[in-house]
Amino acid sequence: MSKLKLYTAIYVVLFVLATGQTLVEFAGLDYWVGLWVILGLSFVKALFVAVYYQHLRWEPRSVSFVMLVGLLAALALTIAASYSIL
Amino acid sequence: MSAEAEQSTDHGHGLPPASSVKRWLVTTNHKDVGILYTVTALFFLVFGGVLALLMRIQLWTPGEGFLAAVSYNQAVSAHGLIMIFWFLSPFAFGFANYVVPLQIGARDLAFPRLNALSYWLYLFSGILFGVSFFQGGTFAGGWTMYAPLNIPVYTPNIGASTAVLALVLFVASVTVSSVNFLTSMHRMRAEGMTLRRMPLFSWTILLTVWMMLFAFAALLAALLILSSDRLLGTQYFAATDAGGSLLWAHLFWFFGHPEVYIVFFPALGVMAETFQTFTGRRIVGRKWFIAAMVLVALQSFVVWMHHMFLTSINLQIKTLFMATTIGISLPFDLMVFALIYTLIKGRVRFTTPFLFSFGALVLFIIGGITGVFLGAVVLDYEFRGTYWVVAHFHYVMVGGVTALFGGLYYWFPKMTGKMYDEFLGKVHFALYFVGFNLLYFPMFLAWETPRRDFVYPEAFVSLHQLSTVGGFILGASFLVMFYNLSKSLLVGEEAGDNPWAYSVTTEWALPSPPPLENFPGRPTFETGMLEFRRGPGGTERSGVEAADGGEPTADGGEPSTDGGAAYVAEIEAESGHDEDHASPWPFAIGLASFVALLGFSGLQQGGFPTGLSGGFYAGLTGGGLVLLGWTLVRLARERFNGPVGPFGESWPFENVENTKLGVWLFLASDVVLFGAFIGSYVFIRVAHGWTDWHDLIPEAHVVLPGLINTYLLLTSSFAVVLALVAAERESRWGLVASLGLTFALGVAFLVNKALEWLHLFDLHGGAFAGGWLPSTNVASSTFYLTTGLHGLHVIAGLFISLYLIARAWGGAYLDDERPVEYFGLYWHFVDIVWLFLFPLFYIL
Amino acid sequence: MSSGVGASVPVGVLVESVGIPAQSGGGLVPRGSRVEVFQQIFEVFLVLGTLVGVVVVGYMTYNAYKYRDRDDRGDADDGIDAPRVGELPTGSGGGRKLFYSFGLSTILVVSLILWTYGTLLYVEQDPPGDAEEDLEVEVVGYRFGWDFVYPNGHTSETLRVPEGETVHLEVTSDDVFHTFGVPELRVKTDAIPGQRTSTWFVANETGSYEVRCFELCGAGHSYMTADVEVVEPRTFESWYADTSNESETANESNSSARPPEEVVG
Ligand SMILES: [Cu+2]
């Protein structure tokens, strides 16, 4: 029962964050500040979905670790490749 | 073991005898699949080898002659692609399939049908590549497929597209295989077989499949983008784009460098096993050997730019990648020394497998030393694109292949029950080793020859002729091998269970070949020695009594097939069903994919050309897709009992059930796939100028459709959560309604997207008077392709949800809600991806 | 101990070799023209590489032979427990020796690479000559040839440069990925569409050299050549003064008059 409440609360949070993320663009922030805020919000939302909806919280840490390795590989590619031509 | 004995072990699994063709089409048993891989890989060895000989004939004298320029380029490209993709890894995975489950004490891989599917996708991808030769010629841009030579402006033949699609299918095979091996090796080891105690061959395969899981996902991204550029007309790699050419190099080498270790590690594993067996000594510094390999596997993902030292990358990044490159060479020194020191005080027997492994180590040392030359960036500048590189990587990669042939001789008795002819084996080695060095060593001396050129300085003529002679000797050595092995298969001596003294690993404690269920009882290493247990609580034991490589015997009798039969009966009694070893659907799915992809190859600019050939390709696509859908459903509906637990050792995934782990591993590779797509977008945008990007996007591209879709997907994710809760509460209608809601929201997502796209396609006036199409510019290309790939994931999810709804309607999942949970994992992942695509493609 | 795999020798060779480059720039780091720099480093690598290779392969072959299984060798003389089928894999001792050799090889490889890194920095950042007066030529690769664009706009299919002076090249491509290289002058860089790479070289002898393409670029790849003509500085000056913002006509063509592209890869 309480789990269902938790899931509902997270749904509401996600909904609000998505809306907020869109509003950041119109908040008149500096472009680069806005960029990092917006991407940060995406990570927060992703974390909520992964941790609660995908139950990573209740799985062995090793599963999260595998996903993290995949994420790190993709980040390494993106960052190093982009940096190489700066 | 003779044919009668084998038949008697089949216990009516619905698996036809080995002599019938049907057996090989339906089998899902890991040992059969291993044999299929081995035989098929050897076929591709001959294919790729003949192409190499054509090249060597061309190089007898400088200049065009034997082959036309285009044919030469095709031979160069196809040789590389076939050897690296369709020969090297599949050959190693023949052994991996056969041996790894035996070594770790598993009755089969976790998903036997997926294992068969991997094989059939592999075979059909190879056939597809073969077909490409007949569609105006195959791909001719080198195995590295550098952009923009790889787009239709420069390589317009349909065969080139088919070759790319063949690779896509091959990657599908590899991904399925990686997920399967990872699940099996992590979850299904016998008691006491901890990771620390795993045999080194299994260790190399474990690390190989980990690298495969991530590296091939990056290759898949590169190939999908390339396919889209070729077939749908997107503009990633067009020469007009500032970053396209470099983007390909980044994506390709991000995959390409781990690939070097992916093909080499299994060879290292064979070396480690054969060195230990034929020196009669356990390896020196075993744990450091393993640690070194783990380090290499991790580091392999951060060295890729050493293939790009002469591109426009900056000095800082060159320095960084020079450092990581040197770093990754060092663990190999340790491994080489460990193998060498294992010889000392051993009882070295120069059997054919050992000769090949020993030879492989010599070749690898030469390849490694010449590789250090390339690590010095100043030298690399001059070696780039020359025969130094060609010679170096053939010493490393074909050096590895040398060890794999040692593996073939080593395990041939186990796989066939027959002993090969030792004398002919040694003749093979002698010819092979002489031919190899005669072929590749002169290349170091003629290193100033540009790679992939057939025009070279007169001064190198005699060196190249020496090479050509060596090539033919190397080729001829395989005639000896094929003769030896096929003759031995027919009339060879019985090999017995364990023809090698001092071998250690489990496969040698089993009959040759092992029965279908592998073991005479539940294997366990609980006491530190292999034992097979039967009976309630494992009270009835049969140990392996083996002094100095003696025959293993079971207590109270022979470890015969009879023991196997008793074990099978026990498995049946325990799990309530027989284990299956046959399914026709993996083959059918492979065939369907082949047909569909062959159809896709006819696409141009997103449509099929009119006329007969266009209709032909369109028909193939449609027919293939229908067949694919139907066979997938049949596979899902088929009752198939794979191996079930409890398993002995499952670290570090003790509480993650096999299928769930499989789903997670698949998602991990999908993270890299989408990561590479997003990385490509970021890279191209940085190359173009991050903020100038806005000039490429029409005013009509607004945030709202994206935001609506974000709401829709978030809500659909919540609906899946509700479905799982309903299933747990055994509410059939709640389950159907929640899944129905998910489906409806997913459809709404797609409809909204379709409306948005149609609107953008159909712009009038302004900067994009002709509409904003996928082919308009790089921004539109990245937008349509990345969100399109996501859309395909949504569509796949919708098909799965339809299947679930249909089954839930009939009352399924109430007692076992796991399929709903696993679908949820996938669906939430698709949701998460959108959470990143939305800001990247709509807001920023 | 023979397990040192000759790694103790290299240190001496290294020190010695470091003395050789001194003539052409002084100090540890090889400097000079690209030909000189390459030659010095390549030789050191070749000598050390051969030495290490011979010692290691010799050592392993010797041991494989020495410890071959013979009938007259009883199990008594080793007295160790032989591996048995069904045992859990373990290792043998000998870790210390392993680490000594590993350490030595690490020192050897790392010091070699660091030594060449100095040259890399020199090559990348500090080419010799007075940058103000240096000739800078733009190189454009296309299927299947090379265009050389001089600062005055003169375009040629032959790269004519003065002897003994540093020439800077800005390299790009008009179509696919090529690699510009003049093997004899040891200058090479990728020609990438949409990107520019820069490199430099000095030719110390007059004569003709061949430019080749080092990245597969299509059917004409093997024939994608051009000439470098190194002439006396004075000859160069007078030739260059006569050129104008036009391309050489006659049998040479500029980029707009290229032969139609061969479409088959
Ligand atoms: Cu070229």
Side-chain angles (χ1 to χ4, degrees):
Chain A
M1 201 61 192
S2 63
K3 250 192 182 173
L4 189 55
K5 267 189 197 153
L6 177 69
Y7 292 143
T8 314
I10 285 164
Y11 173 62
V12 172
V13 169
L14 289 171
F15 209 92
V16 170
L17 286 181
T19 314
Q21 190 179 34
T22 313
L23 292 178
V24 171
E25 206 208 352
F26 305 101
L29 286 174
D30 170 66
Y31 179 83
W32 295 105
V33 175
L35 183 141
W36 290 114
V37 172
I38 287 169
L39 287 182
L41 283 173
S42 275
F43 272 102
V44 172
K45 283 190 293 180
L47 221 53
F48 269 114
V49 177
V51 169
Y52 292 100
Y53 283 7
Q54 290 184 308
H55 301 157
L56 274 181
R57 214 191 136 165
W58 298 285
E59 301 287 359
R61 282 292 151 266
S62 48
V63 177
S64 307
F65 188 72
V66 169
M67 302 310 278
L68 200 66
V69 169
L71 185 65
L72 282 180
L75 278 177
L77 172 65
T78 308
I79 293 169
S82 300
Y83 174 74
S84 75
I85 50 162
L86 281 181
Chain B
M1 173 149 309
S2 57
E4 320 87 79
E6 195 171 304
Q7 257 176 353
S8 73
T9 64
D10 282 351
H11 312 301
H13 296 280
L15 190 59
S19 55
S20 87
V21 175
K22 192 182 168 214
R23 152 100 167 214
W24 300 99
L25 295 176
V26 300
T27 183
T28 62
N29 186 266
H30 72 95
K31 296 183 292 301
D32 291 351
V33 175
I35 288 170
L36 285 170
Y37 263 107
T38 308
V39 171
T40 312
L42 285 173
F43 168 78
F44 281 107
L45 168 74
V46 174
F47 192 168
V50 167
L51 289 169
L53 290 180
L54 294 180
M55 282 146 57
R56 285 317 317 175
I57 294 174
Q58 175 89 332
L59 291 168
W60 185 258
T61 52
E64 225 160 327
F66 181 68
L67 296 174
V70 180
S71 312
Y72 184 81
N73 288 352
Q74 286 184 12
V76 167
S77 312
H79 164 73
L81 290 168
I82 289 173
M83 288 303 200
I84 286 177
F85 292 106
W86 281 284
F87 166 60
L88 271 163
S89 280
F91 190 45
F93 270 74
F95 304 139
N97 265 289
Y98 204 99
V99 174
V100 165
L102 301 177
Q103 288 196 338
I104 65 174
R107 287 197 299 275
D108 204 327
L109 290 178
F111 313 111
R113 288 183 304 170
L114 290 189
N115 194 31
L117 179 62
S118 297
Y119 169 73
W120 291 111
L121 293 179
Y122 156 60
L123 177 69
F124 279 110
S125 72
I127 296 174
L128 194 59
F129 187 79
V131 169
S132 74
F133 280 88
F134 303 99
Q135 293 173 295
T138 188
F139 186 75
W143 89 274
T144 49
M145 301 184 284
Y146 266 24
L149 183 61
N150 56 10
I151 59 173
V153 183
Y154 305 107
T155 44
N157 40 336
I158 293 180
S161 302
T162 308
V164 174
L165 292 171
L167 280 171
V168 171
L169 195 56
F170 180 82
V171 175
S173 155
V174 167
T175 306
V176 173
S177 195
S178 317
V179 168
N180 206 349
F181 268 87
L182 284 171
T183 308
S184 312
M185 296 189 73
H186 274 296
R187 293 255 321 141
M188 297 166 66
R189 280 166 285 129
E191 256 175 307
M193 176 59 74
T194 59
L195 280 187
R196 292 170 67 96
R197 290 277 149 259
M198 207 159 61
L200 285 176
F201 178 70
S202 288
W203 252 111
T204 57
I205 296 299
L206 180 67
L207 292 170
T208 299
V209 284
W210 271 118
M211 287 188 282
M212 276 181 162
L213 184 74
F214 295 115
F216 272 86
L219 178 65
L220 184 60
L223 291 171
L224 289 179
I225 293 173
L226 177 57
S227 304
S228 161
D229 268 18
R230 292 193 65 92
L231 307 175
L232 308 177
T234 50
Q235 302 287 314
Y236 276 78
F237 299 134
T240 47
D241 166 28
S245 195
L246 274 186
L247 171 66
W248 174 268
H250 278 297
L251 288 176
F252 184 83
W253 288 118
F254 185 79
F255 145 79
H257 202 83
E259 170 71 0
V260 174
Y261 303 117
I262 287 170
V263 299
F264 190 75
F265 266 30
L268 201 58
V270 173
M271 281 191 240
E273 295 293 341
T274 46
F275 263 68
Q276 293 184 98
T277 297
F278 295 107
T279 60
R281 281 196 80 211
R282 301 170 187 90
I283 196 163
V284 169
R286 184 185 136 92
K287 71 179 168 198
W288 299 111
F289 194 91
I290 294 172
M293 290 197 298
V294 173
L295 209 61
V296 168
L298 286 172
Q299 270 184 284
S300 69
F301 286 90
V302 288
V303 295
W304 79 90
M305 274 189 248
H306 69 217
H307 296 271
M308 302 166 65
F309 278 148
L310 275 183
T311 64
S312 45
I313 59 174
N314 58 40
L315 183 61
Q316 295 89 313
I317 207 93
K318 280 182 194 171
T319 305
L320 181 65
F321 276 78
M322 183 189 84
T324 55
T325 300
I326 291 312
I328 205 169
S329 79
L330 300 177
F332 278 107
D333 296 355
L334 190 138
M335 293 185 233
V336 167
F337 289 127
L339 287 173
I340 293 176
Y341 292 148
T342 304
L343 294 166
I344 295 175
K345 294 192 182 142
R347 303 170 198 79
V348 182
R349 280 146 298 139
F350 291 91
T351 57
T352 307
F354 180 75
L355 283 173
F356 271 95
S357 283
F358 188 81
L361 189 57
V362 172
L363 301 174
F364 180 65
I365 288 169
I366 299 173
I369 290 173
T370 53
V372 174
F373 284 57
L374 295 166
V377 182
V378 214
L379 294 186
D380 178 85
Y381 280 178
E382 308 311 326
F383 290 135
R384 157 97 169 90
T386 68
Y387 264 61
W388 186 278
V389 178
V390 177
H392 157 69
F393 74 68
H394 280 91
Y395 263 90
V396 173
M397 291 218 187
V398 191
V401 171
T402 310
L404 291 180
F405 282 111
L408 184 61
Y409 285 105
Y410 184 58
W411 282 306
F412 180 81
K414 181 54 58 185
M415 293 163 95
T416 62
K418 301 294 171 81
M419 199 62 197
Y420 62 85
D421 184 313
E422 186 65 50
F423 173 73
L424 288 178
K426 286 187 169 118
V427 170
H428 176 207
F429 173 73
L431 283 174
Y432 180 100
F433 198 73
V434 169
F436 182 107
N437 286 293
L438 210 52
L439 169 58
Y440 296 119
F441 201 79
M443 293 183 184
F444 283 123
L445 306 176
W447 72 266
E448 283 177 87
T449 311
R451 189 178 169 185
R452 293 156 171 169
D453 265 33
F454 45 79
V455 180
Y456 58 84
E458 288 290 335
F460 298 144
V461 170
S462 46
L463 288 171
H464 277 293
Q465 292 186 343
L466 219 53
S467 257
T468 302
V469 171
F472 276 89
I473 294 176
L474 184 63
S477 78
F478 286 104
L479 298 179
V480 179
M481 182 191 85
F482 284 123
Y483 171 75
N484 184 356
L485 296 188
S486 34
K487 189 187 128 209
S488 304
L489 188 62
L490 296 174
V491 296
E493 282 176 40
E494 294 293 319
D497 295 352
N498 184 10
W500 314 122
Y502 311 126
S503 61
V504 164
T505 45
T506 308
E507 72 266 28
W508 303 112
L510 304 169
S512 303
L516 213 48
E517 65 293 324
N518 290 349
F519 310 111
R522 184 167 55 80
T524 170
F525 291 88
E526 208 186 6
T527 60
M529 278 299 283
L530 176 63
E531 278 178 15
F532 299 111
R533 294 189 186 170
R534 281 202 306 274
T539 45
E540 193 187 322
R541 296 177 179 196
S542 58
V544 182
E545 192 183 287
D548 285 11
E551 301 273 307
T553 48
D555 288 354
E558 297 272 276
S560 62
T561 50
D562 175 58
Y567 180 44
V568 168
E570 193 182 306
I571 298 166
E572 260 184 75
E574 240 175 53
S575 57
H577 49 67
D578 193 1
E579 266 178 27
D580 292 308
H581 294 278
S583 165
W585 303 112
F587 170 81
I589 293 171
L591 180 65
S593 316
F594 168 80
V595 174
L597 286 178
L598 187 58
F600 277 138
S601 71
L603 275 173
Q604 283 164 16
Q605 297 289 320
F608 290 100
T610 50
L612 198 61
S613 87
F616 171 70
Y617 283 116
L620 283 180
T621 305
L625 287 177
V626 169
L627 192 62
L628 184 60
W630 180 67
T631 48
L632 281 171
V633 170
R634 291 303 301 263
L635 181 88
R637 299 288 292 143
E638 185 183 40
R639 271 182 194 285
F640 186 94
N641 300 306
V644 286
F647 308 110
E649 307 284 340
S650 302
W651 190 85
F653 300 108
E654 282 87 356
N655 300 315
V656 191
E657 187 259 339
N658 278 4
T659 312
K660 185 193 264 190
L661 182 59
V663 172
W664 273 117
L665 290 168
F666 167 73
L667 291 181
S669 85
D670 229 10
V671 165
V672 176
L673 175 69
F674 272 108
F677 263 84
I678 292 173
S680 303
Y681 161 81
V682 170
F683 180 80
I684 282 193
R685 189 166 170 176
V686 168
H688 184 271
W690 185 270
T691 42
D692 297 343
W693 192 253
H694 294 124
D695 303 336
L696 303 176
I697 301 170
E699 292 290 312
H701 182 65
V702 290
V703 178
L704 193 63
L707 182 62
I708 292 172
N709 268 350
T710 307
Y711 290 149
L712 287 172
L713 268 197
L714 281 177
T715 314
S716 75
S717 252
F718 184 57
V720 176
V721 171
L722 292 180
L724 188 56
V725 172
E728 278 164 0
R729 293 182 188 171
E730 297 183 21
S731 155
R732 181 176 156 206
W733 291 115
L735 177 61
V736 171
S738 312
L739 285 173
L741 181 61
T742 309
F743 181 78
L745 289 165
V747 169
F749 174 92
L750 289 175
V751 168
N752 183 32
K753 182 177 282 290
L755 291 176
E756 179 203 19
W757 282 20
L758 288 176
H759 176 64
L760 291 171
F761 288 163
D762 205 28
L763 294 181
H764 296 289
F768 301 97
W772 200 57
L773 302 165
S775 57
T776 302
N777 55 38
V778 274
S780 69
S781 296
T782 52
F783 170 73
Y784 288 114
L785 191 60
T786 313
T787 59
L789 179 72
H790 177 264
L792 281 180
H793 274 73
V794 172
I795 292 171
L798 289 181
F799 277 113
I800 301 170
S801 75
L802 268 186
Y803 178 83
L804 293 180
I805 290 170
R807 303 253 359 249
W809 190 277
Y813 310 129
L814 299 179
D815 49 346
D816 180 7
E817 71 278 357
R818 286 177 304 178
V820 178
E821 185 191 350
Y822 303 158
F823 166 68
L825 294 180
Y826 171 78
W827 192 259
H828 297 311
F829 169 76
V830 174
D831 187 13
I832 289 175
V833 171
W834 183 257
L835 294 178
F836 289 95
L837 297 189
F838 168 54
L840 285 173
F841 287 97
Y842 287 89
I843 306 180
L844 296 174
Chain C
M1 192 170 24
S2 42
S3 63
V5 209
S8 55
V9 186
V11 183
V13 179
L14 186 69
V15 173
E16 214 175 308
S17 67
V18 156
I20 301 164
Q23 57 192 4
S24 56
L28 283 171
V29 178
R31 287 161 195 266
S33 77
R34 299 198 90 116
V35 179
E36 292 159 357
V37 166
F38 175 80
Q39 205 53 37
Q40 287 162 17
I41 297 180
F42 185 52
E43 271 167 16
V44 171
F45 271 66
L46 216 50
V47 168
L48 288 182
T50 311
L51 202 68
V52 171
V54 168
V55 170
V56 175
V57 172
Y59 178 73
M60 65 186 271
T61 311
Y62 164 75
N63 276 304
Y65 180 76
K66 181 178 173 191
Y67 294 104
R68 69 192 183 281
D69 198 30
R70 283 166 300 166
D71 293 336
D72 57 334
R73 265 184 68 197
D75 274 3
D77 60 329
D78 14 82
I80 43 158
D81 63 322
R84 295 193 302 154
V85 174
E87 71 175 30
L88 276 170
T90 50
S92 298
R96 181 172 297 192
K97 194 159 66 172
L98 190 61
F99 269 89
Y100 284 142
S101 351
F102 173 65
L104 275 174
S105 71
T106 303
I107 292 168
L108 173 63
V109 170
V110 170
S111 47
L112 266 182
I113 297 296
L114 281 180
W115 171 60
T116 66
Y117 185 64
T119 305
L120 176 69
L121 291 180
Y122 160 76
V123 161
E124 287 271 319
Q125 291 178 331
D126 189 28
D130 185 1
E132 285 286 299
E133 282 175 25
D134 286 348
L135 177 62
E136 186 171 323
V137 183
E138 189 191 354
V139 181
V140 184
Y142 63 89
R143 296 177 8 132
F144 297 95
W146 304 95
D147 276 339
F148 302 99
V149 185
Y150 285 82
N152 66 358
H154 175 73
T155 303
S156 163
E157 288 213 326
T158 301
L159 179 58
R160 191 168 285 123
V161 297
E163 175 204 6
E165 287 178 24
T166 304
V167 181
H168 293 271
L169 301 176
E170 287 276 312
V171 184
T172 187
S173 163
D174 238 11
D175 40 48
V176 304
F177 197 127
H178 304 275
T179 299
F180 171 90
V182 189
E184 287 163 289
L185 298 175
R186 302 280 180 238
V187 55
K188 193 180 281 170
T189 189
D190 288 340
I192 311 167
Q195 300 279 322
R196 301 179 77 81
T197 57
S198 49
T199 187
W200 62 270
F201 70 95
V202 184
N204 281 326
E205 269 177 65
T206 58
S208 187
Y209 303 88
E210 193 181 39
V211 176
R212 302 215 48 164
C213 178
F214 286 83
E215 182 59 55
L216 183 61
C217 55
H221 170 59
S222 290
Y223 305 113
M224 187 171 162
T225 57
D227 285 331
V228 183
E229 276 177 24
V230 183
V231 296
E232 301 272 339
R234 228 170 318 151
T235 319
F236 178 81
E237 293 301 331
S238 62
W239 167 79
Y240 188 59
D242 283 348
T243 60
S244 60
N245 186 10
E246 269 174 42
S247 55
E248 283 172 33
T249 45
N251 51 6
E252 290 183 89
S253 55
N254 70 0
S255 51
S256 61
R258 274 175 207 159
E261 218 153 52
E262 250 179 281
V263 278
V264 181

